[in-house]
Amino acid sequence: MVTKAITATTFGINSCKIEVEVDVTNSLPGVSIVGLPDSSVNEARERVHSAIKNSGFSFPTGKVIVNLAPADIRKEGTNFDLPIAVGILKEQGIDIPDDNTMAFLGELSLDGSVRKVNGILPLVSGLKECGIKTVFVPEENAREAALVQDIKVFGAKHLGDIVNHFAETPIAPTVVDIHQYLKDNADKDYIYDFKDVKGQQKAKKALEIAAAGGHNILMSGSPGSGKTMMAKCLASILPPLQLKEAFELTKIYSICGLLSKDNPLMVHRPFRAVHHTASPNGIIGGGTNPKPGEITLAHRGVLFLDEMVEFPRQVLEVLRQPLEDGEVVISRAKTSIKYPARFILVGAMNPCPCGYLGDKEKQCTCSEVQIQRYLSKLSGPLLD
C-alpha cells in the first residue's frame, strides 16, 4: 500500500507543495528516493533509518521507495526528513491519519529529535495557500510558523511526539498574534540612533530628505568625519515596517537562516554594510541553487557601501538594474528566480586618494590627475 505525507519546498521566497509517497516492495533492503532530490535530500535515507529505529519503531525489511511529487521540481533542504519518516511509519501500520490538510516539516537527528530548518515561514505560508489546515514543525521553528494566521501549528521535539499526538498525548498548539507582536516590538531602540548624533547639520538634513523620499545618497568627506556613523543611523529614521513589509522581509531572512528563535518576525528595517571585497554573486545573489544576496537582505532598508570607489567596477555596475526595478532576476540553466530588492543605497567615499581634499586641518597631497582618476571609478549612469 502506498502512503502519503504532505510537505513543501522553497522556490525563491515562495514555496511549492510536495507530496511524499512511500511504498515498500519485497526486495533487498534499502531506501531509494526519486523525484529530483539534491544531495541533502538523498542523505535523508540514513538519518530517517536511524531516527525511526532509535525512536523505538521498526523499519521495513524490504525496499523502501520514496517519491517526491511533482517529480519535475528540484527538491533541496533537510525539511523532507520528517515527512519521509511519517510516510514510512504509516506504511508500518502506525496510526497517523491520512489527512490531505496536514503537513510535516523538519530535519531528523539520528536519535529521532526534530531539528530546526530554514525557510519555515515561506514554507508554511505556501502550504496555507494550498489548503493545508495543520502543520507539524520543529519546536524551535514553531513561533515563526505560527506567524501565519489561521493555520494550526504544532511544535515537535521528537519523532515520537508526533506519534503520541495521535494516540494519547496531544501537542499543545503554538499561537502568535502577529499584529500584537509587531506592535510590542516596533518601539525597540536601534543600536545606532539618529537622535544621538551631535552636529553635522548638513549631512543630517540630506539623510532626512533621503529617508523621507526613499532616495539613494552618496556622502563624500575626509576620514573621521562621521560618514559611516551617519549611515548606520539612517535606518532609525525610516518609517516603521508595515505588516505586509515585515512578513515579506521575514520570509527572506528565514530562507537565509538569519532569524532567531526568540525574535521570529523582523520588526526593524535592515541595515546591511558590505565590504569592498564582496563578489557580484554575494551582492545580487546566486549559486547553483540561487540564494538571496545583500541587496535582497537590504530589502525595505539600507544597503551601505563604505569606501564605494574601492569596489570593483563590475560589482558596482550590477547594482544599476536592481536600483531601477526594485527586484533582481537570477537566471540559471535550470531555473530563473526573482527576488525583491527595493532598498536605499548609501555610499561613502573620500574626496580624493589621500582623503584630505577640502579639509581645514590637513592639506591634500594629490594631483589633479590623481583626483580625476579616483573619481572616475564611479560611472556616470550609477551616479545618476
Side-chain angles (χ1 to χ4, degrees):
M1 182 184 74
V2 176
T3 59
K4 295 182 180 180
I6 306 296
T7 187
T9 188
T10 54
F11 188 80
I13 63 169
N14 300 309
S15 66
C16 177
K17 178 184 173 184
I18 302 295
E19 282 191 2
V20 178
E21 301 173 334
V22 178
D23 189 24
V24 180
T25 62
N26 292 325
S27 182
L28 291 174
V31 180
S32 177
I33 300 178
V34 296
L36 281 183
D38 72 350
S39 57
S40 62
V41 180
N42 266 323
E43 289 170 355
R45 294 175 296 181
E46 311 304 329
R47 291 194 296 269
V48 170
H49 186 275
S50 293
I52 289 177
K53 287 184 64 179
N54 292 327
S55 297
F57 305 106
S58 61
F59 197 83
T61 56
K63 177 71 174 288
V64 178
I65 302 173
V66 179
N67 179 44
L68 308 177
D72 59 341
I73 297 176
R74 187 75 180 174
K75 320 301 189 306
E76 62 173 348
T78 56
N79 58 284
F80 291 92
D81 292 10
L82 187 57
I84 290 173
V86 168
I88 292 174
L89 290 176
K90 285 183 180 181
E91 184 70 25
Q92 290 294 93
I94 301 296
D95 188 18
I96 299 177
D98 287 324
D99 188 347
N100 289 329
T101 64
M102 184 186 302
F104 302 87
L105 300 160
E107 175 186 340
L108 291 175
S109 63
L110 298 184
D111 64 356
S113 300
V114 185
R115 287 179 170 168
K116 176 182 178 181
V117 294
N118 295 337
I120 277 291
L121 184 62
L123 289 170
V124 174
S125 179
L127 286 170
K128 178 192 171 185
E129 293 174 2
C130 294
I132 298 298
K133 304 295 183 184
T134 305
V135 62
F136 288 84
V137 301
E139 187 185 44
E140 287 187 61
N141 290 124
R143 291 194 69 205
E144 180 186 339
L147 294 174
V148 181
Q149 304 295 286
D150 302 322
I151 188 170
K152 283 186 178 181
V153 175
F154 296 98
K157 291 183 180 180
H158 196 275
L159 179 60
D161 293 345
I162 295 175
V163 176
N164 292 334
H165 174 81
F166 299 104
E168 53 188 19
T169 314
I171 303 170
T174 302
V175 180
V176 174
D177 187 338
I178 188 171
H179 298 278
Q180 189 62 39
Y181 183 92
L182 190 61
K183 181 179 178 182
D184 292 342
N185 291 273
D187 296 332
K188 287 186 178 179
D189 292 336
Y190 285 84
I191 298 174
Y192 298 94
D193 203 312
F194 208 75
K195 67 184 180 183
D196 298 327
V197 179
K198 308 300 181 185
Q200 299 285 15
Q201 297 304 320
K202 288 185 178 180
K204 287 165 73 173
K205 183 67 174 177
L207 288 168
E208 287 169 4
I209 294 170
H215 305 300
N216 305 308
I217 184 169
L218 175 61
M219 296 183 287
S220 176
S222 56
S225 58
K227 302 186 295 295
T228 302
M229 179 195 67
M230 297 288 287
K232 290 179 178 179
C233 293
L234 177 60
S236 68
I237 61 170
L238 294 175
L241 279 173
Q242 300 300 310
L243 180 58
K244 183 179 179 181
E245 294 175 330
F247 203 77
E248 181 182 34
L249 196 57
T250 304
K251 281 185 177 182
I252 296 169
Y253 277 72
S254 177
I255 290 169
C256 297
L258 299 177
L259 291 178
S260 68
K261 176 184 176 181
D262 298 326
N263 299 296
L265 181 68
M266 295 289 292
V267 295
H268 284 162
R269 295 186 182 271
F271 173 85
R272 303 293 298 185
V274 183
H275 195 264
H276 63 262
T277 57
S279 66
N281 280 354
I283 298 289
I284 67 169
T288 305
N289 297 315
K291 295 297 181 184
E294 288 293 338
I295 61 174
T296 301
L297 292 173
H299 182 58
R300 304 292 183 185
V302 177
L303 179 67
F304 178 50
L305 305 184
D306 201 2
E307 304 298 342
M308 194 171 179
V309 293
E310 301 298 334
F311 281 77
R313 194 180 187 92
Q314 181 187 5
V315 172
L316 295 177
E317 294 306 308
V318 299
L319 293 173
R320 285 166 54 182
Q321 185 178 356
L323 282 169
E324 291 180 5
D325 300 341
E327 62 184 22
V328 59
V329 179
I330 304 172
S331 299
R332 295 291 181 267
K334 296 180 180 179
T335 186
S336 180
I337 294 179
K338 182 187 294 184
Y339 286 118
R342 193 168 299 279
F343 56 92
I344 295 177
L345 177 62
V346 179
M349 58 178 285
N350 293 332
C352 65
C354 77
Y356 294 106
L357 179 65
D359 192 273
K360 296 179 180 179
E361 298 181 2
K362 292 188 178 181
Q363 187 173 355
C364 176
T365 59
C366 305
S367 67
E368 198 68 36
V369 175
Q370 286 177 313
I371 295 173
Q372 190 60 38
R373 188 184 299 120
Y374 181 77
L375 297 176
S376 66
K377 292 181 180 180
L378 297 180
S379 67
L382 184 62
L383 288 172
D384 290 341

